[in-house]
Amino acid sequence: MRFDFNDFRLRKYSKITKKILALDKEYQQLTDEQLQAKTILFREKLAEGASLESILVEAYATIREADYRILGLKPFENQVLGGVILHYGMVAQMNTGEGKTLTATMPMYLNGLTGPGNFLVTVNGYLANRDAEEIGKVYHWMGLTSAAGVSPDEEELDMQAIYNNDIVYTTNSALGFDYLTDNLVENATDKKLNDLNFALVDEVDSVLLDAAQTPLVISGSPRVQSNLFNSTDRIVKSLQKDKDYEFSEDLTSVWFIKEGIKHLEEYLGITNLVSKRWSDLYRHLVLALQANYTIKRNQDYVVVDDEVLLLDSENGRALTGMKRESGIHQAMETKEEVPLTEQTRAMASITLQNFFKMFKKLSGMTGTAVTSAREFMDVYNLPVLKVPTHKPNIRIDRPDIVYATMDEKIEATVKLVKKAYEVQRPVLLKTGSLSLSRLYSRVLLKNGIVHNVLNAQSESKEAMIVADAGQAGAITVATSMAGRGTDIKLGPGVKEKGGLLVIGTERMNSRRVDDQLRGRAGRQGDPGESIFLVSLEDKVVIENAPDWVDKYRMRLAQALKEGKRKYGEPLRGRRAKNIVERAQQAADTKAESARKSSVKMDDILRIQREMIYDFRDYVMANGDLGEITQRIWDDFFKLYSSGKGITRDKLSDFIINNLDYNYSDEQFDSKILENPEQVEQYVLKVAKQKWEAQKLILDNEFKQNYLKRLSILKALDVAWIEQVDNLSQLKTVVSSRSTGQHNPIFEYEKEAMNSFRQMRKAFWQNTIKYMLLSDLIVGKNESIRVEFP
């Protein structure tokens, strides 16, 4: 008998589950009032010092009965087991259709007893609102408060009131952005979020792995707009492929070749285009090159009402409000001849990886986590446990069928769909991108097959289409992530036809995403079938297979010409399947490596961010800032006076621009410049005199402290915005250094520390400048308005 480590680890939680189930009959006998009174009892126990674990069995039995009385649904044994696992801070792998929504009620109720700070995080706003409305009825009936943290119709919400609920259903981006904006407020009372106590993340692999590398960024503080976008766009459009520039093999990168740079230098009448002198011009030429030749309209973006909108490559949704960084978005706008938007800089940034690691307790649910168990453990310290299904899984997972070319694969796919369509068997056809979903849609229409296309829809429409995908005769073409979170239930007579047929038209970069697709069929013991039709021209193979595969493809093409291979016939043997599987493994490994690298880089930013945010909170809460400002003055003036090359003119210029606009150096003794300590004492004396003048207007300590607080917060925010923007660009730069045998993590850490030292100096300087040079305007009722220089 084979030892199952997963079952061994489940034993502890299975024992707890049995204790909960044993209370079922007892809790059925309770009246509604007695059941509801349990919430008060649990909260009293917690107030007296009891732990959540000590009341878990009773609390789970309570909410389990409440689920039945309000929703008519009582969690099965496997759902209770999943709920126990989730409370203990783990990832519960539960197959599609096993009832993760109901499972979540148990840990959410238990942790909700502690008060605000508990979140169920879903993949989109539609699901957050749907579950908050449906499941919220149970919490409210039991005396807890709950709400959705995202608006269903984009109306502005009172987020302070919402986050004051015991339980909040929200999305990862909404929660992350609110955390970032909380750390830009001037008063602690303006903060929205309470404690980050417990986060239960639904579709945890999608949020913490697939989406985790893309940082949440709040942009603002526009940069000075460049006038080089139009001219460089015109130049690049006149260039010739292979003569001036060339592509990488996968066509995702493009660069100038030596001859192209020579042509550009001749055209522009300059020498050494790649020197520091012409760096800005060269950067704009590179941006224009990328925008024109690697970023495709209707594939990477669409143009709507003279606006360039990015597209999510996975599901085809337009990403409103999002822009590409570092000027590439403006290069795209110039290419499309639409009005240029302002270039912005990052004001605050955090990756989902580091944001969710801030919670006191983190857990997650998904249908596919075991394949990434090591990464969950390494990055988040989250063990993964597989929860047994309520009913045996009888889905048939067919082996892949491999074709030599894309055309052969498409024809075979259509034949398979047609065969199912003729007997009214529902089909879910998954494509890897928006463009391919459109291609398959056109081919199906050409063959007279009526179908739904699931891409670029609103989440609510997606849910409706997915919910109907199991009806007899339903053919649904979908991108890989579309409609996630909604079950596909089989219609009348579909079980007899073999259940839902899931067809994958290519392998994705991660085996986990393919497993998610398979999990769409065979929910809760239903029949179902899954199969992947792949080709040696698929994206994952082109980008990740070794060079010899190109020659193999050429031999197959030659064999077809010579009649040695029949068109449309699948490739036999393990060789072709191994090519696809190993290409996928290489892509998966590459993606995991990139995520881990991103975590390490963001850990460096996290340390700095936590230091800045903690200091910011301290300043907002501290009543007397005299000691802090004195330390800033001492540190900065010591640093300034130790600098080399201080002349009388430079000193005078420094004082006028930072300490006193009305300074005159007529009485200045040049001997002071011979000794750094004397320079320090001199500038400190000028600063103190100016501060005394400010205090004539700020006639009490409260007003003086008010200016100090405003000055520190303003200086801190200006310096931190500059630092976040620098590090955002630095990450892009150092990532390319790995090709030059440099360690990008080491390079990033070194440059980030240098940048932080510069930021600290700028913070000190601006704090002093804002304190001394701000205009103080006295209004009615002796109120003070501060106008910063």
Side-chain angles (χ1 to χ4, degrees), residues 200-364:
L200 199 173
V201 184
D202 192 14
E203 307 295 358
V204 65
D205 53 335
S206 173
V207 175
L208 295 190
L209 299 182
D210 299 332
Q213 206 176 335
T214 305
L216 301 174
V217 179
I218 292 179
S219 296
S221 303
R223 291 182 174 279
V224 176
Q225 192 72 290
S226 170
N227 59 3
L228 290 171
F229 287 111
N230 285 309
S231 53
T232 52
D233 183 71
R234 285 196 301 272
I235 293 168
V236 161
K237 278 179 171 147
S238 68
L239 300 180
Q240 297 177 40
K241 181 185 173 185
D242 296 330
K243 186 178 178 182
D244 298 303
Y245 61 89
E246 63 183 15
F247 292 98
S248 60
E249 286 187 10
D250 58 11
L251 304 179
T252 58
S253 299
V254 63
W255 53 82
F256 292 114
I257 57 180
K258 283 185 179 179
E259 291 78 6
I261 291 175
K262 284 180 184 175
H263 293 157
L264 288 169
E265 288 174 342
E266 289 170 9
Y267 179 83
L268 295 165
I270 62 175
T271 56
N272 204 0
L273 176 60
V274 293
S275 66
K276 188 175 181 180
R277 179 183 178 189
W278 302 109
S279 60
D280 199 37
L281 173 60
Y282 183 68
R283 183 175 74 86
H284 279 78
L285 285 165
V286 171
L287 291 174
L289 190 70
Q290 292 173 341
N292 278 279
Y293 300 116
T294 63
I295 303 172
K296 309 293 185 186
R297 182 168 177 167
N298 296 327
Q299 179 177 320
D300 301 304
Y301 67 93
V302 289
V303 178
V304 180
D305 297 330
D306 275 352
E307 185 180 359
V308 170
L309 299 177
L310 300 179
L311 288 177
D312 187 320
S313 60
E314 290 287 320
N315 53 41
R317 285 196 201 101
L319 303 171
T320 52
M322 293 187 70
K323 292 182 181 180
R324 297 282 294 268
E325 294 180 312
S326 306
I328 190 67
H329 203 89
Q330 286 68 32
M332 292 159 61
E333 290 168 335
T334 308
K335 164 192 171 183
E336 295 296 343
E337 299 181 357
V338 300
L340 262 65
T341 55
E342 287 183 322
Q343 273 186 273
T344 56
R345 65 200 318 179
M347 293 175 64
S349 170
I350 192 169
T351 60
L352 291 175
Q353 290 159 322
N354 266 319
F355 174 64
F356 281 107
K357 284 200 285 188
M358 294 171 64
F359 279 84
K360 293 170 189 169
K361 184 164 61 182
L362 176 64
S363 65

Side-chain angles (χ1 to χ4, degrees), residues 131-171:
D131 293 349
E133 184 178 344
E134 291 180 7
I135 307 301
K137 297 170 187 173
V138 182
Y139 303 134
H140 297 158
W141 190 78
M142 284 302 300
L144 297 189
T145 58
S146 70
V150 283
S151 173
D153 47 17
E154 298 187 0
E155 282 187 15
E156 194 167 334
L157 301 174
D158 183 351
M159 296 311 299
Q160 279 186 323
I162 283 170
Y163 286 136
N164 211 32
N165 282 274
D166 300 317
I167 298 164
V168 176
Y169 282 75
T170 186
T171 63

Side-chain angles (χ1 to χ4, degrees), residues 623-626 629 691-692 694-711 771 776 784:
D624 183 9
L625 298 171
T629 51
W691 179 240
E692 289 300 321
Q694 294 286 66
K695 284 166 70 175
L696 294 175
I697 303 171
L698 305 167
D699 53 10
N700 60 53
E701 283 191 19
F702 176 81
K703 291 179 182 178
Q704 292 164 21
N705 218 52
Y706 174 71
L707 178 59
K708 289 173 184 176
R709 180 174 290 107
L710 280 186
S711 299
M771 283 179 63
L776 307 175
I784 303 288

Side-chain angles (χ1 to χ4, degrees), residues 642-665:
S642 63
K644 295 178 181 178
I646 298 177
T647 63
R648 178 172 180 166
D649 288 343
K650 286 181 179 178
L651 180 63
S652 180
D653 187 59
F654 167 77
I655 292 173
I656 290 170
N657 286 308
N658 293 280
L659 309 181
D660 189 351
Y661 288 140
N662 299 316
Y663 169 75
S664 171
D665 65 352

